[in-house]
Amino acid sequence: FQVDRTERVKNSLNPRFSKKFLIDYYFELVQKLKFGIYDIDNKTYDLNDDDFLGELECTLGQIVSSRTLTKPLVLKNGKPAGRGSIMITAEEVKDNRVVVLELEARKLDNKDFFGKSDPYLEFHKQTGDGNWVMVHRTEVIKNNLNPVWRPFKIPLNSLCYCDMDKSIKVECYDYDGDGSHDLIGSFQTTMSKLKEASRSSPVEFECINEKKRQKKTNYKNSGIVSVKHCEIIVECTFLDYIMGGCQLNFTVGIDFTGSNGDPRSPDSLHYLSPNGVNEYLTAIWSVGMVIQDYDTDKMFPAFGFGAQIPPSFQVSHEFPINFNPSNPFCNGIQGIVDAYRACLPQVKLYGPTNFSPIINHVARFAAAATQQQTASQYFILLIITDGVITDLDQTRTAIVNASKLPMSIIIVGVGGADFDAMEFLDGDDGVLRSSSGEAAVRDIVQFVPFRKFQNSPKEALAQCVLAEVPQQVVNYFSTYKLQPPKNPAA
């Protein structure tokens, strides 16, 4: 469908169009775009009576990863449209200012018969119709009338629509396990007032409980809330990193263990159907088609594990599927597919199912990338597997170590096995810990069973497994305060 048209530039062979198009961007989708150029000499809206000068088909991912895309125009038959070319420039429409706040309170009212209040704060902004909407809740500080809350961030737009003089309401509550939280008191302020706070001179507010004030004649307040620090910072978005030159490096790990079944048998998960596909290849295509737009050289390392490999047929848990240890790279996603098809008849499926060697392999490259002082590289490892992990303790430790690196791991489970251990590695139910008890510093594993997507459109798998990647990239680079190699705002 047609999104929009530019203005018409008269009598020009080198037109510069001023009109901008607004397009929603989704990292996890391949968003195909077509730009058509026409010479218009009449007043009709229909383009059939106008001269077609050429077109370009590309993806939104290609445009944002190169920031300015210049390509030759082609005719409908794919042949060059003379010497014409098109230049497309993208920018992100956003306000990415964030407010960093540090607060404490003293002499809060005690609302509990046994022990002391368990206070927390809620921040509310006022909508156009005058209603208050909660935008942030702090953590609960147990049993303390003089709490100090951890520093926290709220997007400036969420807090006050970026209006420094708009009212902000802060309420202080005593937490109760049954949900009947008691209001200790509240106050109103603005961003202009909060910004005056500094560690040497905090901004203080009396916490007022209106019901108490009406009942008691000598009521002063229900405690003091002190703002020790308030700062507005600009946070980079995922597109800031991508447009600023950050490369996503994609590596594939393929399970060649015996539980997959003999690849020559139609019940095997490695069996290539008459049209040349299986669940392994479908997963590689689905995820790879999205990621390839963010990697300039399109050379992707691909490894197998759990097979006996030629010439001596020893078991390997980390072998290049093109059998070239000095150059395990495949040219594009098609190159991975071709190498996989060529590799299958040459290896003997064996075992056990060890994940840690391949995770540690990619982690070594991610660790080397941390030597650069900018957000220049991020690594995504796709592991496709049919079963239960044998080296679970080593894998947990490998993931915990990788969580400190610019790296994400996607695990796609094929076949009908029990994937409980995979769900456990996907830290959504709680923080993953290594066998020695060390906690992962961030959640970097996304697991999905392929069977969930068997009857879905082919894009659905990539949408599910890649949806968390942009946040994981931002989370890593902002934690370590790394800026994009080229400043996108420049």
Side-chain angles (χ1 to χ4, degrees), residues 88-151:
I88 305 155
T89 304
E91 63 182 52
E92 190 179 5
V93 180
K94 61 177 189 296
D95 187 322
N96 51 345
R97 288 175 294 170
V98 176
V99 185
V100 182
L101 287 159
E102 290 180 35
L103 286 92
E104 60 186 34
R106 62 180 185 273
K107 297 184 180 169
L108 294 175
D109 285 354
N110 194 9
K111 295 282 184 180
D112 293 344
F113 289 120
F114 306 105
K116 296 180 178 133
S117 295
D118 306 318
Y120 67 89
L121 299 175
E122 282 184 2
F123 285 72
H124 301 254
K125 71 176 174 186
Q126 197 165 23
T127 59
D129 53 14
N131 291 325
W132 291 99
V133 179
M134 184 175 60
V135 295
H136 185 81
R137 181 186 283 126
T138 67
E139 87 265 35
V140 176
I141 306 285
K142 291 278 183 168
N143 208 23
N144 194 331
L145 301 180
N146 302 293
V148 178
W149 289 280
R150 282 197 303 264

Side-chain angles (χ1 to χ4, degrees), residues 476-487:
Y476 175 81
F477 289 133
S478 61
T479 300
Y480 293 95
K481 297 187 168 49
L482 295 170
Q483 293 296 311
K486 304 188 291 275
N487 181 2

Side-chain angles (χ1 to χ4, degrees), residues 151-300:
F152 56 92
K153 296 176 187 173
I154 311 175
L156 186 61
N157 191 34
S158 299
L159 184 58
C160 59
Y161 302 105
C162 302
D163 179 345
M164 295 294 161
D165 298 315
K166 202 159 183 55
S167 280
I168 298 164
K169 181 162 73 171
V170 183
E171 295 180 328
C172 183
Y173 284 91
D174 169 35
Y175 174 85
D176 278 317
D178 61 4
S180 61
H181 314 308
D182 300 316
L183 179 69
I184 294 174
S186 68
F187 61 89
Q188 286 189 30
T189 183
T190 63
M191 205 48 232
S192 298
K193 180 75 180 153
L194 291 172
K195 264 180 65 191
E196 294 171 11
S198 69
R199 288 195 175 82
S200 55
S201 135
V203 174
E204 304 207 318
F205 299 92
E206 288 188 284
C207 230
I208 303 297
N209 187 314
E210 279 303 329
K211 284 186 182 167
K212 244 176 139 178
R213 180 152 70 176
Q214 285 163 13
K215 281 185 193 162
K216 289 188 168 181
T217 49
N218 62 345
Y219 175 79
K220 274 173 64 181
N221 59 51
S222 295
I224 302 289
V225 173
S226 176
V227 182
K228 295 185 294 185
H229 180 67
C230 174
E231 180 186 7
I232 296 176
I233 60 170
V234 175
E235 283 203 334
C236 285
T237 64
F238 174 68
L239 277 183
D240 282 332
Y241 292 114
I242 295 300
M243 291 175 159
C246 179
Q247 291 286 307
L248 300 187
N249 299 279
F250 180 49
T251 304
V252 178
I254 300 171
D255 181 337
F256 286 102
T257 54
S259 50
N260 282 278
D262 183 343
R264 292 166 298 191
S265 157
D267 341 334
S268 167
L269 292 164
H270 280 297
Y271 177 72
L272 293 171
S273 66
N275 57 356
V277 296
N278 59 27
E279 291 186 5
Y280 280 91
L281 286 178
T282 307
I284 291 168
W285 269 121
S286 174
V287 177
M289 288 304 284
V290 173
I291 291 178
Q292 67 175 358
D293 285 341
Y294 301 88
D295 186 319
T296 44
D297 67 5
K298 311 270 184 286
M299 298 299 288
F300 305 116

